[in-house]
Amino acid sequence: MIRGVHHINFLVRDLEEAIARHERLLGVRIERIDELAGRGVRIARFRAGPTWIALVQPVADGEPMRHLERHGEGFFLISYDVDDVERAATTARAAGARTTSAAPRTGLDGWQVIDIDPADAGGVIIQFCEDKAAGSRA
Amino acid sequence: MIRGVHHINFLVRDLEEAIARHERLLGVRIERIDELAGRGVRIARFRAGPTWIALVQPVADGEPMRHLERHGEGFFLISYDVDDVERAATTARAAGARTTSAAPRTGLDGWQVIDIDPADAGGVIIQFCEDKAAGSRA
């Protein structure tokens, strides 16, 4: 069911500063900067092999902003690459976990994502992600 | 320089409970359980594509135990796959970051790792990992 790590999100307060730091220390190049208005965030991302590393700056109220206020900068969530996000969520629910939405929500590039409730996942936000573009690349 | 995400470590208080939860919710199978006495931890890991997901239970004093006491369960570090850990560390140092050791330390399976000081990496433990076994697989 889990094909890999699709993306990992880190919360940052200052996106430009975080971009500069990652480019300098890791020798990576940010490929894309996007806004995801529904989540109230700006997102810069670079590739680490098949995995996107996303630097996420909350700019409006929403779950990312509340998480930043509560926990500070750092790790936000891990999103596992699956071929069928609804089937993955069904498996998790059948195993006794709640998900934070019944239906998938749409992330960057049309990614379809569903989160397991962190209360049922050891306090970590674990997400399933179905990425048709990546699937067709694989 | 960064070839992918080699591993991601999550701190847990009860390894058996965390193993059961991951197997149940994600449909994964733990491949290995090891002890790393030098770090005072037990580690269970599963594969997510090319990335190891490691569940780390501190059992003796050390940096992981102190991190768990300070921050609780959850994300501990991200380790990027590089072909030359010393060269990667040199790049980070040249960019103004400190590393927490001058020479690599040895992780599971002989992995050679060096951490960037989190004070210079936005509060996140970012690690470089040279894994000769994985290199020869690639």
Side-chain angles (χ1 to χ4, degrees):
Chain A
M1 170 165 128
I2 302 294
R3 301 191 298 190
V5 178
H6 185 275
H7 61 280
I8 303 170
N9 289 4
F10 292 95
L11 291 173
V12 302
R13 293 187 194 280
D14 180 332
L15 193 60
E16 278 61 37
E17 192 269 334
I19 289 171
R21 186 177 59 242
H22 280 81
E23 291 193 335
R24 208 169 63 235
L25 299 190
L26 303 184
V28 296
R29 278 286 157 263
I30 296 294
E31 284 190 31
R32 298 272 302 272
I33 301 179
D34 298 281
E35 291 206 25
L36 199 56
R39 296 272 276 177
V41 295
R42 296 174 63 223
I43 304 174
R45 51 182 154 141
F46 63 93
R47 281 210 166 276
T51 300
W52 287 108
I53 307 297
L55 309 173
V56 178
Q57 179 190 3
V59 292
D61 191 41
E63 189 201 352
M65 177 72 88
R66 290 191 295 272
H67 197 283
L68 178 65
E69 286 168 356
R70 214 172 300 132
H71 302 285
E73 291 189 300
F75 176 83
F76 179 41
L77 66 79
I78 182 165
S79 185
Y80 288 107
D81 182 36
V82 296
D83 61 355
D84 184 330
V85 68
E86 305 223 39
R87 198 173 61 210
T90 299
T91 298
R93 286 186 207 110
R98 290 158 293 185
T99 54
T100 60
S101 64
R105 66 172 196 276
T106 299
L108 295 175
D109 295 349
W111 304 341
Q112 296 296 298
V113 299
I114 294 182
D115 297 353
I116 300 178
D117 189 321
D120 294 333
V124 173
I125 304 178
I126 292 177
Q127 180 177 92
F128 299 117
C129 179
E130 178 180 338
D131 177 353
K132 296 217 183 293
S136 63
R137 266 206 315 275
Chain B
M1 171 166 127
I2 301 295
R3 301 191 297 189
V5 179
H6 185 275
H7 61 279
I8 303 170
N9 289 5
F10 292 96
L11 290 174
V12 303
R13 292 187 195 282
D14 180 333
L15 192 60
E16 278 62 37
E17 192 269 334
I19 289 171
R21 185 175 62 242
H22 280 80
E23 292 194 333
R24 207 169 63 236
L25 300 190
L26 303 184
V28 295
R29 279 287 157 261
I30 297 293
E31 284 190 34
R32 299 273 303 271
I33 302 180
D34 299 281
E35 291 205 26
L36 199 55
R39 294 273 275 177
V41 296
R42 296 172 63 222
I43 304 174
R45 51 182 154 143
F46 63 93
R47 281 210 165 275
T51 300
W52 287 109
I53 307 296
L55 309 173
V56 177
Q57 179 190 4
V59 292
D61 190 42
E63 188 199 352
M65 176 72 89
R66 290 191 294 273
H67 197 282
L68 177 65
E69 286 168 356
R70 213 174 299 133
H71 303 286
E73 292 188 300
F75 175 83
F76 178 41
L77 66 80
I78 182 165
S79 185
Y80 288 106
D81 182 35
V82 296
D83 62 355
D84 184 330
V85 68
E86 304 222 40
R87 198 173 59 211
T90 299
T91 298
R93 285 187 208 110
R98 289 158 294 183
T99 54
T100 61
S101 63
R105 65 173 197 276
T106 300
L108 296 175
D109 296 350
W111 304 341
Q112 295 297 298
V113 299
I114 294 182
D115 297 354
I116 299 177
D117 190 321
D120 294 332
V124 172
I125 303 178
I126 293 178
Q127 180 177 93
F128 299 117
C129 180
E130 178 180 338
D131 177 352
K132 297 217 181 293
S136 63
R137 267 205 313 275

PDB file of all heavy atoms in Angstrom, chain A residues 9-28:
ATOM      1  N   ASN A   9       6.499  17.890   4.977  1.00  0.00           N
ATOM      2  CA  ASN A   9       6.291  19.330   5.141  1.00  0.00           C
ATOM      3  C   ASN A   9       6.920  19.829   6.435  1.00  0.00           C
ATOM      4  O   ASN A   9       6.712  19.234   7.501  1.00  0.00           O
ATOM      5  CB  ASN A   9       4.788  19.654   5.191  1.00  0.00           C
ATOM      6  CG  ASN A   9       4.102  19.472   3.847  1.00  0.00           C
ATOM      7  OD1 ASN A   9       4.719  19.034   2.887  1.00  0.00           O
ATOM      8  ND2 ASN A   9       2.818  19.797   3.784  1.00  0.00           N
ATOM      9  N   PHE A  10       7.652  20.908   6.306  1.00  0.00           N
ATOM     10  CA  PHE A  10       8.223  21.596   7.463  1.00  0.00           C
ATOM     11  C   PHE A  10       7.622  22.996   7.531  1.00  0.00           C
ATOM     12  O   PHE A  10       7.572  23.699   6.512  1.00  0.00           O
ATOM     13  CB  PHE A  10       9.746  21.701   7.334  1.00  0.00           C
ATOM     14  CG  PHE A  10      10.454  20.378   7.421  1.00  0.00           C
ATOM     15  CD1 PHE A  10      10.791  19.675   6.272  1.00  0.00           C
ATOM     16  CD2 PHE A  10      10.765  19.819   8.650  1.00  0.00           C
ATOM     17  CE1 PHE A  10      11.434  18.444   6.341  1.00  0.00           C
ATOM     18  CE2 PHE A  10      11.403  18.585   8.738  1.00  0.00           C
ATOM     19  CZ  PHE A  10      11.742  17.894   7.586  1.00  0.00           C
ATOM     20  N   LEU A  11       7.199  23.390   8.706  1.00  0.00           N
ATOM     21  CA  LEU A  11       6.647  24.733   8.892  1.00  0.00           C
ATOM     22  C   LEU A  11       7.769  25.731   9.152  1.00  0.00           C
ATOM     23  O   LEU A  11       8.683  25.447   9.942  1.00  0.00           O
ATOM     24  CB  LEU A  11       5.669  24.759  10.070  1.00  0.00           C
ATOM     25  CG  LEU A  11       4.364  24.008   9.841  1.00  0.00           C
ATOM     26  CD1 LEU A  11       3.557  23.970  11.135  1.00  0.00           C
ATOM     27  CD2 LEU A  11       3.543  24.640   8.722  1.00  0.00           C
ATOM     28  N   VAL A  12       7.680  26.864   8.490  1.00  0.00           N
ATOM     29  CA  VAL A  12       8.674  27.926   8.688  1.00  0.00           C
ATOM     30  C   VAL A  12       7.940  29.255   8.834  1.00  0.00           C
ATOM     31  O   VAL A  12       6.821  29.415   8.348  1.00  0.00           O
ATOM     32  CB  VAL A  12       9.674  27.997   7.503  1.00  0.00           C
ATOM     33  CG1 VAL A  12      10.388  26.661   7.313  1.00  0.00           C
ATOM     34  CG2 VAL A  12       8.985  28.424   6.207  1.00  0.00           C
ATOM     35  N   ARG A  13       8.585  30.190   9.523  1.00  0.00           N
ATOM     36  CA  ARG A  13       7.968  31.511   9.694  1.00  0.00           C
ATOM     37  C   ARG A  13       8.304  32.433   8.526  1.00  0.00           C
ATOM     38  O   ARG A  13       7.519  33.308   8.177  1.00  0.00           O
ATOM     39  CB  ARG A  13       8.466  32.164  10.997  1.00  0.00           C
ATOM     40  CG  ARG A  13       7.999  31.443  12.244  1.00  0.00           C
ATOM     41  CD  ARG A  13       8.358  32.215  13.517  1.00  0.00           C
ATOM     42  NE  ARG A  13       8.202  31.363  14.679  1.00  0.00           N
ATOM     43  CZ  ARG A  13       7.034  31.095  15.260  1.00  0.00           C
ATOM     44  NH1 ARG A  13       5.924  31.609  14.775  1.00  0.00           N
ATOM     45  NH2 ARG A  13       6.972  30.289  16.314  1.00  0.00           N
ATOM     46  N   ASP A  14       9.482  32.242   7.950  1.00  0.00           N
ATOM     47  CA  ASP A  14       9.967  33.156   6.906  1.00  0.00           C
ATOM     48  C   ASP A  14      10.420  32.291   5.732  1.00  0.00           C
ATOM     49  O   ASP A  14      11.497  31.686   5.763  1.00  0.00           O
ATOM     50  CB  ASP A  14      11.122  33.987   7.474  1.00  0.00           C
ATOM     51  CG  ASP A  14      11.685  34.968   6.455  1.00  0.00           C
ATOM     52  OD1 ASP A  14      11.613  34.703   5.232  1.00  0.00           O
ATOM     53  OD2 ASP A  14      12.234  36.000   6.887  1.00  0.00           O
ATOM     54  N   LEU A  15       9.598  32.230   4.704  1.00  0.00           N
ATOM     55  CA  LEU A  15       9.863  31.307   3.599  1.00  0.00           C
ATOM     56  C   LEU A  15      11.164  31.649   2.880  1.00  0.00           C
ATOM     57  O   LEU A  15      11.953  30.753   2.562  1.00  0.00           O
ATOM     58  CB  LEU A  15       8.685  31.315   2.619  1.00  0.00           C
ATOM     59  CG  LEU A  15       8.677  30.180   1.593  1.00  0.00           C
ATOM     60  CD1 LEU A  15       8.628  28.829   2.273  1.00  0.00           C
ATOM     61  CD2 LEU A  15       7.496  30.331   0.629  1.00  0.00           C
ATOM     62  N   GLU A  16      11.398  32.937   2.636  1.00  0.00           N
ATOM     63  CA  GLU A  16      12.591  33.305   1.874  1.00  0.00           C
ATOM     64  C   GLU A  16      13.861  32.932   2.645  1.00  0.00           C
ATOM     65  O   GLU A  16      14.833  32.448   2.068  1.00  0.00           O
ATOM     66  CB  GLU A  16      12.571  34.806   1.541  1.00  0.00           C
ATOM     67  CG  GLU A  16      11.720  35.141   0.312  1.00  0.00           C
ATOM     68  CD  GLU A  16      10.234  34.779   0.447  1.00  0.00           C
ATOM     69  OE1 GLU A  16       9.685  34.929   1.565  1.00  0.00           O
ATOM     70  OE2 GLU A  16       9.618  34.328  -0.532  1.00  0.00           O
ATOM     71  N   GLU A  17      13.817  33.129   3.952  1.00  0.00           N
ATOM     72  CA  GLU A  17      14.986  32.786   4.771  1.00  0.00           C
ATOM     73  C   GLU A  17      15.201  31.266   4.752  1.00  0.00           C
ATOM     74  O   GLU A  17      16.330  30.782   4.641  1.00  0.00           O
ATOM     75  CB  GLU A  17      14.746  33.318   6.204  1.00  0.00           C
ATOM     76  CG  GLU A  17      15.950  33.311   7.111  1.00  0.00           C
ATOM     77  CD  GLU A  17      16.063  32.021   7.901  1.00  0.00           C
ATOM     78  OE1 GLU A  17      15.036  31.355   8.143  1.00  0.00           O
ATOM     79  OE2 GLU A  17      17.199  31.685   8.272  1.00  0.00           O
ATOM     80  N   ALA A  18      14.106  30.500   4.841  1.00  0.00           N
ATOM     81  CA  ALA A  18      14.205  29.030   4.848  1.00  0.00           C
ATOM     82  C   ALA A  18      14.702  28.522   3.492  1.00  0.00           C
ATOM     83  O   ALA A  18      15.496  27.576   3.420  1.00  0.00           O
ATOM     84  CB  ALA A  18      12.851  28.411   5.187  1.00  0.00           C
ATOM     85  N   ILE A  19      14.229  29.135   2.422  1.00  0.00           N
ATOM     86  CA  ILE A  19      14.696  28.754   1.084  1.00  0.00           C
ATOM     87  C   ILE A  19      16.205  28.967   0.978  1.00  0.00           C
ATOM     88  O   ILE A  19      16.957  28.076   0.563  1.00  0.00           O
ATOM     89  CB  ILE A  19      13.970  29.586   0.003  1.00  0.00           C
ATOM     90  CG1 ILE A  19      12.511  29.162  -0.109  1.00  0.00           C
ATOM     91  CG2 ILE A  19      14.679  29.471  -1.346  1.00  0.00           C
ATOM     92  CD1 ILE A  19      11.670  30.082  -0.995  1.00  0.00           C
ATOM     93  N   ALA A  20      16.636  30.166   1.369  1.00  0.00           N
ATOM     94  CA  ALA A  20      18.069  30.495   1.252  1.00  0.00           C
ATOM     95  C   ALA A  20      18.907  29.511   2.070  1.00  0.00           C
ATOM     96  O   ALA A  20      19.951  29.034   1.626  1.00  0.00           O
ATOM     97  CB  ALA A  20      18.309  31.928   1.716  1.00  0.00           C
ATOM     98  N   ARG A  21      18.420  29.179   3.271  1.00  0.00           N
ATOM     99  CA  ARG A  21      19.185  28.277   4.137  1.00  0.00           C
ATOM    100  C   ARG A  21      19.301  26.890   3.518  1.00  0.00           C
ATOM    101  O   ARG A  21      20.376  26.288   3.502  1.00  0.00           O
ATOM    102  CB  ARG A  21      18.518  28.213   5.519  1.00  0.00           C
ATOM    103  CG  ARG A  21      19.334  27.423   6.525  1.00  0.00           C
ATOM    104  CD  ARG A  21      18.699  27.426   7.907  1.00  0.00           C
ATOM    105  NE  ARG A  21      17.363  26.864   7.903  1.00  0.00           N
ATOM    106  CZ  ARG A  21      16.248  27.511   8.223  1.00  0.00           C
ATOM    107  NH1 ARG A  21      16.304  28.776   8.589  1.00  0.00           N
ATOM    108  NH2 ARG A  21      15.076  26.909   8.188  1.00  0.00           N
ATOM    109  N   HIS A  22      18.191  26.359   3.019  1.00  0.00           N
ATOM    110  CA  HIS A  22      18.238  25.018   2.430  1.00  0.00           C
ATOM    111  C   HIS A  22      19.115  24.989   1.176  1.00  0.00           C
ATOM    112  O   HIS A  22      19.858  24.031   0.960  1.00  0.00           O
ATOM    113  CB  HIS A  22      16.818  24.516   2.121  1.00  0.00           C
ATOM    114  CG  HIS A  22      16.127  23.996   3.339  1.00  0.00           C
ATOM    115  ND1 HIS A  22      15.518  24.811   4.265  1.00  0.00           N
ATOM    116  CD2 HIS A  22      15.972  22.726   3.805  1.00  0.00           C
ATOM    117  CE1 HIS A  22      15.016  24.066   5.242  1.00  0.00           C
ATOM    118  NE2 HIS A  22      15.266  22.807   4.981  1.00  0.00           N
ATOM    119  N   GLU A  23      19.007  26.017   0.362  1.00  0.00           N
ATOM    120  CA  GLU A  23      19.826  26.024  -0.859  1.00  0.00           C
ATOM    121  C   GLU A  23      21.308  26.079  -0.506  1.00  0.00           C
ATOM    122  O   GLU A  23      22.125  25.409  -1.134  1.00  0.00           O
ATOM    123  CB  GLU A  23      19.414  27.202  -1.762  1.00  0.00           C
ATOM    124  CG  GLU A  23      18.014  26.991  -2.352  1.00  0.00           C
ATOM    125  CD  GLU A  23      17.663  27.940  -3.485  1.00  0.00           C
ATOM    126  OE1 GLU A  23      18.233  29.043  -3.540  1.00  0.00           O
ATOM    127  OE2 GLU A  23      16.812  27.567  -4.314  1.00  0.00           O
ATOM    128  N   ARG A  24      21.615  26.867   0.515  1.00  0.00           N
ATOM    129  CA  ARG A  24      23.015  27.064   0.901  1.00  0.00           C
ATOM    130  C   ARG A  24      23.592  25.811   1.564  1.00  0.00           C
ATOM    131  O   ARG A  24      24.659  25.346   1.203  1.00  0.00           O
ATOM    132  CB  ARG A  24      23.057  28.228   1.895  1.00  0.00           C
ATOM    133  CG  ARG A  24      24.323  29.011   1.938  1.00  0.00           C
ATOM    134  CD  ARG A  24      24.096  30.283   2.764  1.00  0.00           C
ATOM    135  NE  ARG A  24      23.756  29.984   4.140  1.00  0.00           N
ATOM    136  CZ  ARG A  24      22.666  30.417   4.789  1.00  0.00           C
ATOM    137  NH1 ARG A  24      21.795  31.202   4.177  1.00  0.00           N
ATOM    138  NH2 ARG A  24      22.453  30.103   6.042  1.00  0.00           N
ATOM    139  N   LEU A  25      22.841  25.261   2.546  1.00  0.00           N
ATOM    140  CA  LEU A  25      23.401  24.157   3.340  1.00  0.00           C
ATOM    141  C   LEU A  25      23.331  22.825   2.605  1.00  0.00           C
ATOM    142  O   LEU A  25      24.188  21.963   2.795  1.00  0.00           O
ATOM    143  CB  LEU A  25      22.650  24.003   4.674  1.00  0.00           C
ATOM    144  CG  LEU A  25      22.666  25.192   5.630  1.00  0.00           C
ATOM    145  CD1 LEU A  25      22.104  24.786   6.983  1.00  0.00           C
ATOM    146  CD2 LEU A  25      24.063  25.735   5.795  1.00  0.00           C
ATOM    147  N   LEU A  26      22.296  22.622   1.809  1.00  0.00           N
ATOM    148  CA  LEU A  26      22.097  21.308   1.191  1.00  0.00           C
ATOM    149  C   LEU A  26      22.460  21.298  -0.293  1.00  0.00           C
ATOM    150  O   LEU A  26      22.450  20.234  -0.920  1.00  0.00           O
ATOM    151  CB  LEU A  26      20.639  20.852   1.357  1.00  0.00           C
ATOM    152  CG  LEU A  26      20.112  20.784   2.799  1.00  0.00           C
ATOM    153  CD1 LEU A  26      18.694  20.234   2.815  1.00  0.00           C
ATOM    154  CD2 LEU A  26      21.022  19.908   3.674  1.00  0.00           C
ATOM    155  N   GLY A  27      22.731  22.460  -0.831  1.00  0.00           N
ATOM    156  CA  GLY A  27      23.062  22.495  -2.258  1.00  0.00           C
ATOM    157  C   GLY A  27      21.877  22.129  -3.142  1.00  0.00           C
ATOM    158  O   GLY A  27      22.064  21.653  -4.266  1.00  0.00           O
ATOM    159  N   VAL A  28      20.656  22.332  -2.644  1.00  0.00           N
ATOM    160  CA  VAL A  28      19.461  22.019  -3.444  1.00  0.00           C
ATOM    161  C   VAL A  28      18.967  23.283  -4.140  1.00  0.00           C
ATOM    162  O   VAL A  28      19.385  24.392  -3.816  1.00  0.00           O
ATOM    163  CB  VAL A  28      18.320  21.428  -2.567  1.00  0.00           C
ATOM    164  CG1 VAL A  28      18.764  20.098  -1.983  1.00  0.00           C
ATOM    165  CG2 VAL A  28      17.918  22.405  -1.457  1.00  0.00           C
TER     166      VAL A  28
END
